[in-house]
Amino acid sequence: MTSPTDLRVAVIGAGPAGIYASDLLAKQGVNIDLFEQMPAPFGLIRYGVAPDHPRIKGIVNSLHAVMEKPNIRFLGNIEVGTTITVEKLHEYYDAIVFATGAVADRDLGIPGQNLNGSYGAADFVGFYDGNPRFHRTWNLTATHVAIIGVGNVALDISRILAKTANELHTTEIPDNVYQTLKTNQATHIHIFGRRGPAQAKFTPLELKELDHSPSINVVVDPEDIDYDEASIAARRASKSQDLVCQTLEQYAMREPKDAPHTLHIHLFENPVEILGEDGNVVGLRTERMELDGTGHVQGTGKFTEWPVQAVYRAVGYRSEAITAVPFDHGTAVIPNDGGHVVDSAGEIVPGVYVTGWIKRGPVGLIGNTKSDAKETTDMLIADALAGRLTPRTATGDITEYLEAQGIPYTTWDGWHKLDAHERSLGSAEGRERKKVVEWDEMVAHSRS
């Protein structure tokens, strides 16, 4: 039996999933090193939430409090599987918890996906959130834009394209994003979903907030407001879904608002092909769908071609494999039994655990992430108490190895330095923060 206070655990990924798991373990007295491939912590809260959503970014405050705990240590600018091997981590830790999330785009699987002007949502989100792994500029010459998907990421993208650059300049966007958004020529943004209002995955507040900007006129076709018995039941079973339906109905009934950008929400339109000419996007073909009585939809055989010059595919994120860790390429998750990582034969991999989107796929909100973390950490603690963990073998500290290898890792103190620098950049312009975009610059400020 190993007491939790004697454990040293490596948690891989400093987004919400990794931090929640670290918090639960820390409360048991476990010592945690929280590894992150980026120089800064907070994962998708820093690099996956639209900059005009400070309410959601307020989650950082609670995550920040967790990171201040004395038995949690942040080690950034380290990519596990590349900068350091999983085998090496086993020498220094009694257990490893993977919480690496999902940052790549799922494929849409229709013709034309690879045309110029066809973009994955994750790439565009990475651009406007100032993620150093993504592009510094973006082609915003399209006047008519299609966004495929009816979740909050689709709303975020549509809002960024429909707002003016000056509206967004009050946020933490970097200068390169602001200058690029000033070139945006989009006047008509179209969101497409294959099912109806009772199946849309928007959250009510985000859907309602679309109308708060004076730059955006939200339009819904009254013919897209339709329900069958299963849809009515789904609406009655969920207050949140009912509010989504109410908001869509209100958009459908009202008079148009005078605004420079029109955001069209199209329901019951299934994208079947991105149309191209000379290698560039020139349109989107959709098939009209109808409810079948069970809440699902079926095709009507009626097709429409929408003249657009850019298409954004917001159909979900996808996790990526980590060297020397089992991975199911079909479901894009690390195979597991609810917490333990399992191999291709279904056998538990000793001392290796998983939580968050890399465990269950990119679905659910913060509440799901917390319950995921509890399920996983409960298994880890039970294994420790039952003597099922293989004790670490290295006698020194992992930082000695990192320094001997010349790895320029960042720390929690380093985050405070980078945070102060970004806040000073923002303060000079009357903003709370302005993000540093360049990777080397982030490391330099963190290690100054």
Side-chain angles (χ1 to χ4, degrees), residues 104-136:
D105 281 297
R106 284 179 55 195
D107 286 336
L108 182 58
I110 64 173
Q113 179 173 297
N114 296 321
L115 289 165
N116 294 325
S118 172
Y119 307 111
D123 286 339
F124 188 52
V125 171
F127 158 71
Y128 67 62
D129 267 335
N131 189 321
R133 298 174 63 194
F134 290 86
H135 302 286
R136 302 293 187 271

Side-chain angles (χ1 to χ4, degrees), residues 20 37 62 64 82 100-101 118 130 163 189 200 218 220 238 247 269 309 352 394 441 444 447:
Y20 289 140
Q37 67 170 328
S62 63
H64 201 281
T82 303
T100 48
S118 172
K163 282 187 172 182
I189 297 98
V218 184
V220 176
S238 168
T247 302
E269 295 289 349
Q309 302 90 46
V352 186
E441 188 179 350
R447 291 175 58 84

Side-chain angles (χ1 to χ4, degrees), residues 46 169-176 417-438 441-442 445:
R46 178 173 166 90
H169 191 248
T170 58
T171 71
E172 61 186 36
I173 59 171
D175 289 336
N176 67 296
K417 294 175 184 177
L418 176 60
D419 180 49
H421 176 66
E422 290 186 340
R423 289 179 183 276
S424 69
L425 292 176
S427 177
E429 299 177 7
R431 300 196 268 161
E432 181 181 349
R433 173 195 305 276
K434 182 164 71 174
K435 276 183 185 170
V436 172
V437 177
E438 298 303 329
E441 188 179 350
M442 292 174 67
H445 283 287

Side-chain angles (χ1 to χ4, degrees), residues 38-214:
M38 302 289 290
F42 306 129
L44 280 179
I45 298 299
R46 178 173 166 90
Y47 288 119
V49 176
D52 60 344
H53 265 179
R55 178 182 58 82
I56 296 176
K57 286 182 175 290
I59 296 169
V60 167
N61 293 333
S62 63
L63 300 180
H64 201 281
V66 174
M67 298 285 284
E68 294 282 2
K69 292 189 173 184
N71 51 340
I72 297 177
R73 180 169 61 171
F74 174 71
L75 297 172
N77 200 37
I78 299 170
E79 184 173 4
V80 171
T82 303
T83 311
I84 187 171
T85 65
V86 174
E87 182 182 17
K88 180 60 67 174
L89 288 180
H90 277 297
E91 296 177 19
Y92 286 88
Y93 300 95
D94 303 291
I96 304 171
V97 179
F98 286 94
T100 48
V103 296
D105 281 297
R106 284 179 55 195
D107 286 336
L108 182 58
I110 64 173
Q113 179 173 297
N114 296 321
L115 289 165
N116 294 325
S118 172
Y119 307 111
D123 286 339
F124 188 52
V125 171
F127 158 71
Y128 67 62
D129 267 335
N131 189 321
R133 298 174 63 194
F134 290 86
H135 302 286
R136 302 293 187 271
T137 60
W138 201 270
N139 183 345
L140 294 174
T141 57
T143 58
H144 291 67
V145 176
I147 301 168
I148 299 173
V150 283
N152 283 349
V153 175
L155 292 186
D156 285 348
I157 291 172
S158 65
R159 212 175 50 254
I160 296 297
L161 292 172
K163 282 187 172 182
T164 65
N166 286 337
E167 282 182 274
L168 293 164
H169 191 248
T170 58
T171 71
E172 61 186 36
I173 59 171
D175 289 336
N176 67 296
V177 176
Y178 173 63
Q179 294 300 329
T180 302
L181 290 176
K182 285 171 68 174
T183 70
N184 181 23
Q185 298 179 37
T187 55
H188 291 269
I189 297 98
H190 300 262
I191 297 177
F192 292 92
R194 65 186 300 270
R195 297 201 286 171
Q199 292 81 35
K201 299 302 182 184
F202 308 129
T203 51
L205 186 58
E206 277 66 26
L207 182 61
K208 200 173 187 69
E209 283 179 344
L210 283 179
D211 203 41
H212 291 180
S213 169

